[in-house]
Amino acid sequence: MGEAIGAMLTSAVGIAISPLPLIAVILMLATPKGRTNGIAFTVGWVVGLAAVVAVVVAAGSGLHTEGEKPSWAYWLKLALGVLFVLMAYRQWRGRPREGHESAAPKWMRALDRFTPAKAAGLAVALVAANPKNLVLAVGGAVSIATADASGAGKTVAAVLMVVVGSLCTLLPLGVYLLGGSRSARVLSGWKEWMSVHNAAIMTTVLAVLGAKYIGDALTGLS
């Protein structure tokens, strides 16, 4: 079980510090329907991430039961590692230049008109349709599926991955529900910091993950 948890932890943390869902839930909490929509968004995120992780872990575990890790797992890790590096390069190249701000997506400007169902659907889309989050989720789930662990151990690792990867929504919601009058100021500070450092954060995360996955794959294939 320890191997499965350690293998997925980097990917889970990468998902947890993804700026987009954190900014989305903070903006949603500031709307007139902030409480219900914020809860719906968080539930949608947890369910969407859990579904992706469960499907990949189940499929990967079916291909790998016991013994030596299969070569396809290393080739997949190599492909994911190269993809991470390319995404890091694209993220850095596309960063806003000094003195400029990137335009907010259209859906972000329409959050005050969202229903709870639409908020939950947006969260699922940010997991399954956002390339960075999806690749991070798949990479972590593959690491769990091919780890030398029992079925129960892989289940525990998968649950922990979903919990850690959902901190980007669980923490803002918790601050909003429990923080009282200070919550708005705290969440606003988080949003501003993440907005300013979005490109640097994701570039660093993707580059580190790319190097780790490529290194693990080359070690396993050699």
Side-chain angles (χ1 to χ4, degrees):
M1 183 173 69
E3 180 188 345
I5 293 174
M8 66 76 186
L9 201 53
T10 307
S11 296
V13 171
I15 298 171
I17 61 176
S18 179
L20 194 56
L22 185 141
I23 293 171
V25 73
I26 290 175
L27 290 175
M28 200 168 290
L29 290 169
T31 64
K33 298 179 182 177
R35 187 184 185 90
T36 55
N37 284 357
I39 293 173
F41 183 90
T42 301
V43 171
W45 177 272
V46 173
V47 171
L49 181 57
V52 172
V53 172
V55 168
V56 176
V57 170
S61 297
L63 296 174
H64 172 61
T65 53
E66 58 182 13
E68 189 175 345
K69 188 173 293 189
S71 59
W72 66 261
Y74 293 115
W75 284 111
L76 180 56
K77 273 201 164 188
L78 180 61
L80 289 173
V82 172
L83 184 57
F84 281 137
V85 172
L86 293 175
M87 290 169 69
Y89 175 74
R90 183 179 178 185
Q91 181 79 46
W92 186 249
R93 282 292 303 271
R95 74 191 187 281
R97 294 302 184 258
E98 188 175 353
H100 296 81
E101 292 185 5
S102 57
K106 289 183 179 179
W107 59 261
M108 199 173 281
R109 299 194 294 270
L111 290 177
D112 57 341
R113 299 191 297 274
F114 270 33
T115 63
K118 198 168 184 178
L122 171 64
V124 173
L126 288 179
V127 174
N130 182 282
K132 290 188 287 291
N133 292 329
L134 181 60
V135 173
L136 286 167
V138 170
V142 167
S143 297
I144 295 173
T146 56
D148 185 13
S150 64
K154 291 180 181 181
T155 300
V156 172
V159 171
L160 285 176
M161 180 176 174
V162 173
V163 172
V164 173
S166 298
L167 291 178
C168 54
T169 59
L170 292 171
L171 285 179
L173 181 63
V175 170
Y176 176 83
L177 296 176
L178 304 175
S181 59
R182 295 182 53 195
S183 62
R185 184 170 69 255
V186 172
L187 293 175
S188 177
W190 288 6
K191 180 184 73 67
E192 290 176 7
W193 191 87
M194 295 295 277
S195 297
V196 170
H197 300 287
N198 179 5
I201 292 170
M202 291 312 302
T203 300
T204 302
V205 169
L206 293 169
V208 169
L209 280 170
K212 181 181 184 300
Y213 274 51
I214 291 173
D216 290 347
L218 293 177
T219 299
L221 291 170
S222 60

